[in-house]
Amino acid sequence: MPFSLIRGDITKTACDAIVNAANPSLLGGGGVDGAIHRAAGPELLAECRTLGGCDTGDAKATKGYSLPCKYVIHTVGPVWQGGGSGEHDLLVSCYTRSLELADSLGCKSIAFPLISAGAYGYPKEEAISTAADTIRAFLASHDMEVTLVVFDRTSAAISRTLYNSIAEYIDDAYADARDDSARRRLFGNTMSGAVSAPAAKESRSPGFFGRMKKAGRSKDTAEAVPMLSFPAAETACETQEDKDSLESLIAARDESFSQSLLRLIDERGLTDVQTYRKANIDRKLFSKIRTDVSYRPKKETALAFAIALELTLPETLSLLAKAGYTLSDSLKFDLIVKYFISRGSYDIFEINRALFAFDQTLIGC
Ligand code: APR
């Protein structure tokens, strides 16, 4: 996965280069600076003394010594002064200069801490968004494995509003699933039982389908059909778009995953490079999928392509089915992905931050 987010201690991250959030003297300090110097040993400080310091926004490299990396790239982040003193541009420069320096040293992998988000007081939400945007801009034209290592869970936190909205969506789906199993115990698996269920559900809480109906998104309700098998009347195509979507579903019925993926890329006028970069999938894995018509990806990989292609829920289910997967209302990972797709939100890093906040596997290879 070209860009991943992990929780951990950067001094234990094995890669070609790790980045240090240093100060202009480059002579060590607290936080991650202190941790890196302690783990690297005294030779790191000795080499730093020869560098003559570092300007804010710039980056300089030393060897990694006792750390599990070839290089340490020292960069100096901006001290947060309210946002009106060029802090954002300086922080962007820290990431860009560090990546360019790593690239010039031939590094294929690099790990960053959240620069300036500690002692320098940069607000964590802005710090992580700036990091993600800058790293993804670099990866649009470079092949490198970039890891953002957050030391504590709060550093990668998504907004409280988003967190609560996803938690409510999950609760509703679990509640719906409990209702479904209660109804099956009462009515068995008859259609009539299934058809009356949405009405019953509406009275209790909107739930997944109730919310779709309330949002007037009958398309989604119709699209959601494959998961709950409502009778045909409920799934009548209401618009040309629905008809197209149904036609593409029919067209896809006997293709392999790889064939479906390549067809969808062509249908959307995307290039292979655009697709695998947007999906946060590395080039090697993509070429494996492209050349092996029977290749079966992991579920996280298949979903990464569904997000990159901005597939609707039924198109996502159809593509997943080619690899033998589906989305279930009883798995938090699946529900979080459905939450974003059903809202037309396809920013894979934002989805991964939400998955990270809920302790779930990330999307990508
Ligand atoms: N691994 C990964 N991340 C870490 C680690 C670690 N071992 N230790 C701390 N962090 C995280 C912090 O939680 C924070 O999110 O690194 C981020 C940056 O925090 P600081 O290390 O305080 O760096 P910064 O905010 O850029 O301030 C730099 O602090 O240590 C001094 O000498 C340094 O003066 C400089 C200033």
Side-chain angles (χ1 to χ4, degrees):
M1 195 187 305
F3 179 28
S4 47
L5 172 68
I6 65 168
R7 184 169 171 221
D9 179 347
I10 200 166
T11 63
K12 297 184 172 54
T13 308
C15 54
D16 290 348
I18 67 167
V19 176
N20 179 23
N23 60 59
S25 72
L26 294 188
L27 299 181
V32 72
D33 196 0
I36 287 175
H37 274 272
R38 281 192 299 278
E43 297 156 299
L44 179 63
L45 182 57
E47 186 177 354
C48 283
R49 288 190 198 286
T50 66
L51 297 178
C54 181
D55 292 337
T56 300
D58 199 1
K60 291 189 177 178
T62 63
K63 294 190 199 72
Y65 300 104
S66 309
L67 286 160
C69 59
K70 282 186 221 151
Y71 302 101
V72 177
I73 291 178
H74 306 264
T75 189
V76 179
V79 176
W80 180 255
Q81 302 170 65
S85 313
E87 295 95 321
H88 174 266
D89 293 348
L90 285 167
L91 188 58
V92 168
S93 173
C94 286
Y95 287 97
T96 307
R97 282 288 304 121
S98 299
L99 287 161
E100 288 166 350
L101 184 51
D103 192 39
S104 69
L105 292 167
C107 297
K108 289 293 169 221
S109 56
I110 184 172
F112 283 95
L114 214 43
I115 298 163
S116 285
Y120 280 4
Y122 213 104
K124 289 196 190 305
E125 181 63 28
E126 282 88 341
I128 202 165
S129 305
T130 302
D133 294 346
T134 311
I135 290 165
R136 293 195 296 185
F138 178 84
L139 289 176
S141 52
H142 294 80
D143 279 335
M144 196 182 280
E145 295 278 328
V146 183
T147 304
L148 191 53
V149 183
V150 288
F151 200 47
D152 47 85
R153 184 151 303 286
T154 53
S155 296
I158 52 178
S159 70
R160 175 55 53 196
T161 320
L162 178 57
Y163 188 93
N164 292 341
S165 174
I166 295 172
E168 184 202 333
Y169 179 84
I170 292 169
D171 289 348
D172 286 350
Y174 283 169
D176 290 349
R178 269 198 305 278
D179 286 1
D180 289 349
S181 55
R183 188 183 51 259
R184 271 194 293 279
R185 278 199 299 279
L186 281 174
F187 298 107
N189 278 324
T190 54
M191 277 302 188
S192 56
V195 168
S196 63
K201 272 191 255 175
E202 290 284 344
S203 59
R204 181 182 40 69
S205 82
F208 176 68
F209 299 110
R211 213 191 329 281
M212 290 303 123
K213 280 213 173 70
K214 204 176 277 178
R217 299 187 59 188
S218 56
K219 182 170 171 303
D220 295 88
T221 310
E223 287 173 346
V225 162
M227 289 178 280
L228 279 184
S229 62
F230 283 118
E234 290 275 326
T235 65
C237 285
E238 284 155 18
T239 65
Q240 184 52 45
E241 199 187 337
D242 288 332
K243 286 195 180 67
D244 294 347
S245 170
L246 203 53
E247 268 148 31
S248 83
L249 288 181
I250 291 165
R253 66 190 179 292
D254 50 9
E255 290 168 325
S256 71
F257 174 84
S258 171
Q259 289 165 328
S260 289
L261 176 64
L262 299 178
R263 173 179 56 80
L264 288 163
I265 292 173
D266 293 343
E267 282 175 1
R268 279 155 178 73
L270 292 171
T271 64
D272 291 354
V273 177
Q274 283 171 324
T275 305
Y276 67 72
R277 287 197 194 284
K278 225 179 137 194
N280 197 22
I281 298 287
D282 68 39
R283 182 170 37 82
K284 290 189 287 300
L285 176 57
F286 182 83
S287 55
K288 216 185 281 179
I289 296 172
R290 167 173 268 291
T291 48
D292 175 359
V293 71
S294 57
Y295 186 87
R296 183 170 186 257
K298 291 186 306 186
K299 184 171 180 177
E300 298 83 36
T301 304
L303 274 171
F305 284 115
I307 301 290
L309 294 164
E310 303 192 1
L311 301 187
T312 61
L313 215 41
E315 289 167 335
T316 299
L317 287 169
S318 171
L319 182 63
L320 283 177
K322 300 297 169 195
Y325 304 117
T326 186
L327 288 177
S328 152
D329 272 1
S330 50
L331 296 174
K332 213 174 266 187
F333 173 87
D334 291 14
L335 283 164
I336 292 170
V337 175
K338 274 168 59 174
Y339 173 90
F340 284 94
I341 293 179
S342 57
R343 284 158 177 75
S345 173
Y346 294 101
D347 178 334
I348 204 160
F349 186 71
E350 192 190 11
I351 297 170
N352 273 338
R353 282 182 64 190
L355 289 167
F356 185 87
F358 283 86
D359 275 326
Q360 301 299 306
T361 320
L362 303 189
I363 287 181
C365 66

